[in-house]
Amino acid sequence: LKSLVKDELYRSKLSKEARNYAEQNLDIRLIGEQYKKYILKESKEIINNELITHIVECEIKNNNYTLKEIKELSKTLAMSK
């Protein structure tokens, strides 16, 4: 801290570097895009063949779903994968 107080050139250089870093890495649009990519990646990993098999075997077979409801569920799962 003493060198920051005493050395104006060092303080200026450090300030510019900090601003550059913040502009390149902390922009809200960039962070939002990173979250979006992470969420989309994670959701693809969650909906896998094991989950689909479980849904078919435990949910659809054990309940009285209409053919229309099954088709809608199939579309939703297909879009998610």
Side-chain angles (χ1 to χ4, degrees):
L1 286 175
K2 289 180 182 180
S3 61
L4 283 174
V5 172
K6 291 180 181 179
D7 190 342
E8 187 177 334
L9 286 175
Y10 179 63
R11 188 173 56 243
S12 177
K13 179 183 177 222
L14 202 58
S15 174
K16 287 176 185 174
E17 288 175 357
R19 179 165 182 99
N20 259 353
Y21 176 84
E23 287 174 349
Q24 293 176 4
N25 298 290
L26 303 177
D27 181 88
I28 191 68
R29 292 174 296 255
L30 175 65
I31 294 170
E33 190 61 33
Q34 290 171 339
Y35 271 115
K36 177 183 166 187
K37 286 178 184 177
Y38 176 79
I39 290 168
L40 290 174
K41 178 182 174 251
E42 289 299 310
S43 68
K44 286 182 181 179
E45 291 175 3
I46 290 171
I47 298 178
N48 57 29
N49 288 337
E50 183 180 335
L51 177 62
I52 293 170
T53 301
H54 176 76
I55 290 170
V56 170
E57 290 176 353
C58 298
E59 187 65 24
I60 294 176
K61 287 182 181 178
N62 295 330
N63 293 294
N64 293 323
Y65 288 108
T66 66
L67 185 57
K68 182 179 178 183
E69 290 171 323
I70 294 171
K71 285 181 181 180
E72 289 301 314
L73 177 60
S74 298
K75 286 181 194 176
T76 301
L77 292 172
M79 289 189 329
S80 299
K81 205 160 178 166

